[in-house]
Amino acid sequence: MNWIILIIAGLFEVAFASCLGKAKETSGTESYYWFAGFLVTMTISMLLLIKATQTLPIGTAYAVWTGIGAVGTALMGIIFFKDPISFWRIFFIITLIGSVVGLKAVSSH
């Protein structure tokens, strides 16, 4: 169950990074709404990470959380923020995914 909580925490990390990106692109009241979304999703992500680390090793949980956030944010950047796409970028995203799956596979929990 804590692995599911950790995955959800990672998805909220993607959400808070995306909100931060949108806040940067907008101005006025709209940017404040995106910043508020950033604060809410960051808080949820951190609380879920804390919950997951009650039974999962902190090193593994943090690495998986940041890996999900890094992969998700990179993909969001490519899809929604027009970040450049290249062979090497996709290659390293795939190796990150492999690393996250590997950490899950070798975890004793």
Side-chain angles (χ1 to χ4, degrees), residues 1-13 44-56 61 64-65 68:
M1 180 64 173
N2 280 318
W3 280 102
I4 293 169
I5 291 171
L6 183 60
I7 291 168
I8 294 168
L11 295 175
F12 272 99
E13 183 186 4
I44 293 169
S45 182
M46 293 296 168
L47 290 172
L48 291 172
L49 178 61
I50 290 167
K51 175 69 175 155
T53 59
Q54 289 175 347
T55 58
L56 299 174
V64 169
W65 178 75
I68 292 168

Side-chain angles (χ1 to χ4, degrees), residues 12-26 30-31 33-42 76 81:
F12 272 99
E13 183 186 4
V14 174
F16 79 69
S18 298
C19 286
L20 199 57
K22 290 300 282 183
K24 185 179 86 171
E25 287 183 350
T26 57
E30 186 178 359
S31 67
Y33 289 135
W34 284 110
F35 186 66
F38 162 77
L39 292 174
V40 169
T41 54
M42 182 178 66
M76 291 290 285
F81 295 101

Side-chain angles (χ1 to χ4, degrees), residues 24 29 31 33 42-43 46 52 58 71-72 74 76 79 100 108-109:
K24 185 179 86 171
T29 304
S31 67
Y33 289 135
M42 182 178 66
T43 301
M46 293 296 168
I58 186 70
V71 168
M76 291 290 285
I79 295 167
V100 169
S108 62
H109 291 17

Side-chain angles (χ1 to χ4, degrees), residues 67 70-76 78 84-99:
V71 168
T73 303
L75 293 175
M76 291 290 285
I78 290 168
I85 186 169
S86 68
F87 168 80
W88 288 111
R89 189 174 186 129
I90 298 301
F91 173 79
F92 287 116
I93 288 171
I94 291 169
T95 59
L96 245 172
I97 294 168
S99 297

